Each structure stands twice: as C-alpha cells, then as structure tokens.
C-alpha cells in the first residue's frame, strides 16, 4: 500500500454538459432539494477552508489556547484536511458545477 489517498471522482463538467444537451433532466422539486443540500455542503466546505487558513496563519498552533467553542471546529477541519489533502479545495470548485447543472436540468 503506497499511502496515496484515492482521488475522489467529481463529474461537474460532465453534469454541466449533460444538462446543456438536455440529457440530464430532474424533477423541479427533487432538484430543489438536491440543490439545497449541495449548497449547505458547499457552505460547510468553505467554512472549513476558512478555519484551516486562519489556523495555518497562527504563529503558535496550539489547540489548548483556542476558545472552547472553536476548538472542535478547528480539530475537525484540520483532521479532514490531513485525511484528504486538497479535497476540500477540489470540492469547492466542483460542487458549484453540480449546482449549476441541476438548475439547468430542473423541469
């Protein structure tokens, strides 16, 4: 085992193309529900990315010096980034494509 983290497959461009060609069609109510969940997920991803950037800019990265209400969020964000480096950034680029495709495919 090489220790490499498998690449998570995103198909944002494919979904956009299928929607543009009319080959991706989704019921309006179902599309709205999926879009809402994707937008919520995207907001969480962006929040974690902000937390990681702030954490990385700290001269002394000590969890015990964080306010009690922030520590769990910092630990979660940093741990996730260590488990799947670069995947938050990739998801932040790809999820808006899924959202746009669903808006186009909504019928």
């Amino acid at each position: 085992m090489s220790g490499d983290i498998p690449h998570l497959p995103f198909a944002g461009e494919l979904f956009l193309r299928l929607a543009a060609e009319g080959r991706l069609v989704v019921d309006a109510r179902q599309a709205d529900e999926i879009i809402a969940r994707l937008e919520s997920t995207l907001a969480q991803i962006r929040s974690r990315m902000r937390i990681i950037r702030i954490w990385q800019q700290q001269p002394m990265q000590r969890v015990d010096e964080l306010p009690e209400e922030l520590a769990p969020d910092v630990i979660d964000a940093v741990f996730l980034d260590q488990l799947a480096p670069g995947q938050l950034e990739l998801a932040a680029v790809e999820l808006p494509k899924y959202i746009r495709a669903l808006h186009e495919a909504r019928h």
Side-chain angles (χ1 to χ4, degrees), residues 6-45:
H7 177 70
L8 297 175
F10 284 100
E13 293 298 326
L14 174 63
F15 274 70
L16 284 169
R17 188 172 60 247
L18 292 173
E21 294 171 356
R23 298 189 312 161
L24 176 64
V25 178
V26 182
D27 172 73
R29 186 179 54 74
Q30 187 178 17
D32 291 345
E33 291 172 9
I34 296 168
I35 289 167
R37 288 196 310 262
L38 287 173
E39 287 174 340
S40 174
T41 299
L42 183 57
Q44 291 174 9
I45 288 168

Side-chain angles (χ1 to χ4, degrees), residues 17-94:
R17 188 172 60 247
L18 292 173
E21 294 171 356
R23 298 189 312 161
L24 176 64
V25 178
V26 182
D27 172 73
R29 186 179 54 74
Q30 187 178 17
D32 291 345
E33 291 172 9
I34 296 168
I35 289 167
R37 288 196 310 262
L38 287 173
E39 287 174 340
S40 174
T41 299
L42 183 57
Q44 291 174 9
I45 288 168
R46 288 177 175 159
S47 175
R48 285 185 173 146
M49 288 171 57
R50 272 192 304 277
I51 289 169
I52 291 168
R53 280 194 298 273
I54 292 167
W55 176 252
Q56 290 170 338
Q57 293 172 358
Q58 298 300 311
M60 297 284 292
Q61 297 173 336
R62 295 180 49 112
V63 174
D64 60 342
E65 293 179 3
L66 291 171
E68 215 173 286
E69 64 275 3
L70 284 180
D73 292 336
V74 170
I75 291 167
D76 287 347
V78 171
F79 184 67
L80 179 62
D81 190 52
Q82 288 177 347
L83 285 177
Q87 293 302 306
L88 286 175
E89 291 84 0
L90 182 57
V93 170
E94 289 293 315

